[in-house]
Amino acid sequence: MSSKDLPEEIRQALLNPTEEGEPVSDELDIGKYARLKRLKQDDSNKTPIEGETIGKKLQNLFRITISIPNPDIAYPLLAAYASVPSVLSEILPILELRGEPGSGKSECIKIFSRVTGSILNARSTAASIKNDINQIRWVDPSTFSVEKNCFYLLDNADSEFFAERDVLTALLNGYDRYTDKQSISNGKGQNIPFYVFCPKVFTTVWRISSPEVRRRLITIKFKPKQSLDQLINPDSLAINSLKKELSNYWNTPSNWELHHECQCKVKSSFPVSYPKQSWKLVSDVVVAGLCTGVWSELDEAFGFFENYFEFRKKSKEGIYEVILAETLSELSGIPMAEWELSPNSILIEVDPKDLKQRMDTYVETGLIPRIKPEQLQLDIRALGWAVAGKKGKYTYVFVKK
């Protein structure tokens, strides 16, 4: 059977390298047909996904297929992130789906894969991440000349994955468009460029230890034994139609202009309720959610993320970070909110022994887990402090970023 015998829509799909990811011949073999069938699923007999906007449809899709704690935060966050156009974005946080085995993380990232048309990866190395992003981000990976919307999705990232230094570098650099270039020597006196910026989603049962990476995360936590009675089988839903609708939305020039207008408005209107760094990290997610209708107004979007920041701050896991910051504030005599506002001439010092004694007290009361000294130092550095020597003693000194 030749592709000439197929309907025009099917022939065009076969000839589209951005869909198939490889050149195709005129002959149709069973492998090509199987991939084509998955790409062109017939939604005519499937249940449409309801919603007034694309953003609301995405939100409802996750709501009716995945059970997650704190739904008022989880579902809008998933919808906004899934609607991100990576080509138009400048800074994107890494979306972490974390929870125990069997809590629904993998099902969630599968839905994410289906609605965005992204490939779902299993265990990866730093080299494979860079190669994969090079392949999915560019129409021609050899020239880096024409960029396309993409997501990097990774299921079951384990502790070894996070322990790789090159992996952490890819995550740290790849959240910002202007720091994404990495060069690796090929051993022949030449450097091979890699560009690692794109939205990234991973599932894991591990809490990532690097405070620098944690600063770039937005996290959705999953728990087992959530109510599954009301969930709908994703295969019965018209997900492919929603995927086409989202793709067509970002292929419409007037929506590019809308994105630019929203981007300018968001970045010039950050609330003072949380540090500017926090707002910059989520600004392009806010923009995507506003454009696709996850939120109808800027104030609604900002209010949502203020609730998210507060929820993260007060969650059981976040108690340790809050206590550490508050303890440093008490011992230094300067509130955390004033650290970044302090001029360079002001020196803020804390005695490590005093800090350790205070933190040990919280450990003994069971309020926080026991933290290894090296991890404590990493967490202190993440807050903008450094270790300095002074008269034979070590002192934590705040360093203005």
Side-chain angles (χ1 to χ4, degrees):
M1 182 180 184
S2 168
S3 63
K4 294 179 181 178
D5 302 318
L6 298 170
E8 176 64 21
E9 180 187 13
I10 305 300
R11 288 198 294 117
Q12 288 300 319
L14 278 172
L15 295 172
N16 187 347
T18 63
E19 291 277 0
E20 290 294 296
E22 60 184 46
V24 293
S25 67
D26 189 53
E27 293 299 315
L28 181 67
D29 61 30
I30 191 169
K32 292 171 188 171
Y33 176 77
R35 291 195 298 274
L36 181 63
K37 183 180 176 183
R38 287 190 289 270
L39 285 170
K40 297 295 177 183
Q41 292 176 5
D42 183 9
D43 283 350
S44 58
N45 295 322
K46 296 187 177 181
T47 304
I49 300 160
E50 298 181 354
E52 297 176 358
T53 63
I54 296 175
K56 293 299 184 185
K57 289 178 183 178
L58 287 168
Q59 189 171 325
N60 287 336
L61 170 62
F62 286 109
R63 188 180 297 276
I64 63 180
T65 57
I66 307 294
S67 182
I68 314 177
N70 311 111
D72 292 343
I73 288 176
Y75 295 121
L77 198 55
L78 284 170
Y81 201 90
S83 65
V84 161
S86 60
V87 173
L88 301 178
S89 302
E90 296 174 2
I91 293 179
L92 288 170
I94 303 160
L95 178 60
E96 176 193 40
L97 310 178
R98 176 155 43 89
E100 298 174 38
S103 57
K105 308 181 305 298
S106 293
E107 190 62 30
C108 183
I109 203 171
K110 286 176 188 175
I111 298 294
F112 211 102
S113 173
R114 291 177 64 174
V115 78
T116 62
S118 307
I119 295 171
L120 182 56
N121 300 277
R123 172 78 170 92
S124 293
T125 62
S128 66
I129 291 175
K130 294 169 186 174
N131 283 322
D132 286 343
I133 293 176
N134 265 8
Q135 291 298 316
I136 64 176
R137 185 177 171 190
W138 310 100
V139 173
D140 183 355
S142 64
T143 62
F144 310 117
S145 56
V146 181
E147 189 176 356
K148 57 185 179 180
N149 286 331
C150 67
F151 284 82
Y152 181 77
L153 309 180
L154 177 63
D155 196 18
N156 293 320
D158 58 21
S159 58
E160 292 180 2
F161 171 78
F162 293 128
E164 281 193 56
R165 183 177 180 84
D166 286 346
V167 165
L168 296 182
T169 301
L171 296 178
L172 291 174
N173 290 359
Y175 87 106
D176 188 329
R177 175 177 294 278
Y178 300 104
T179 63
D180 76 327
K181 183 178 179 180
Q182 297 183 1
S183 297
I184 298 178
S185 173
N186 63 359
K188 299 178 182 178
Q190 298 174 321
N191 287 333
I192 303 173
F194 291 91
Y195 296 85
V196 292
F197 172 77
C198 76
K200 302 174 184 70
V201 185
F202 65 83
T203 70
T204 185
V205 300
W206 302 89
R207 182 174 184 267
I208 190 166
S209 60
S210 167
E212 282 301 299
V213 173
R214 287 209 308 270
R215 227 165 34 88
R216 291 160 172 83
L217 295 178
I218 53 177
T219 300
I220 295 177
K221 298 180 200 173
F222 290 72
K223 291 182 180 179
K225 300 180 181 178
Q226 290 291 116
S227 175
L228 307 178
D229 297 340
Q230 304 301 319
L231 297 185
I232 296 175
N233 182 353
D235 293 334
S236 68
L237 300 171
I239 297 178
N240 205 49
S241 297
L242 180 55
K243 177 185 120 179
K244 288 180 182 177
E245 188 177 353
L246 181 61
S247 177
N248 291 338
Y249 182 88
W250 290 124
N251 280 322
T252 304
S254 60
N255 292 328
W256 307 344
E257 290 297 323
L258 175 62
H259 186 278
H260 175 69
E261 291 172 10
C262 285
Q263 202 171 42
C264 293
K265 190 174 181 181
V266 167
K267 293 184 178 182
S268 64
S269 309
F270 290 148
V272 297
S273 51
Y274 285 90
K276 190 175 181 180
Q277 288 250 352
S278 298
W279 288 114
K280 285 178 66 177
L281 183 67
V282 301
S283 60
D284 279 319
V285 179
V286 172
V287 172
L290 283 170
C291 289
T292 58
V294 176
W295 305 289
S296 57
E297 301 289 342
L298 183 58
D299 286 346
E300 182 187 1
F302 281 149
F304 170 85
F305 274 99
E306 285 175 329
N307 289 336
Y308 169 74
F309 294 147
E310 191 66 19
F311 169 77
R312 184 175 62 181
K313 179 179 175 182
K314 290 183 176 179
S315 68
K316 184 177 180 181
E317 177 189 276
I319 288 176
Y320 161 65
E321 286 85 352
V322 173
I323 286 177
L324 177 58
E326 289 180 350
T327 303
L328 286 167
S329 296
E330 291 173 11
L331 294 175
S332 66
I334 299 178
M336 180 180 178
E338 297 180 18
W339 294 347
E340 292 185 356
L341 300 177
S342 301
N344 291 329
S345 58
I346 294 180
L347 192 63
I348 309 173
E349 299 182 3
V350 168
D351 188 325
K353 290 183 179 179
D354 293 342
L355 179 62
K356 184 178 183 304
Q357 288 175 356
R358 188 74 67 86
M359 297 302 287
D360 284 347
T361 300
Y362 294 123
V363 171
E364 290 168 4
T365 61
L367 192 58
I368 61 173
R370 187 166 296 281
I371 307 298
K372 294 181 180 180
E374 56 269 24
Q375 182 62 53
L376 180 61
Q377 283 205 13
L378 286 173
D379 294 335
I380 291 170
R381 291 178 188 277
L383 291 172
W385 294 70
V387 180
K390 185 179 180 182
K391 296 181 179 179
K393 298 191 301 182
Y394 286 106
T395 306
Y396 289 124
V397 178
F398 179 71
V399 180
K400 187 176 178 67
K401 293 184 178 181

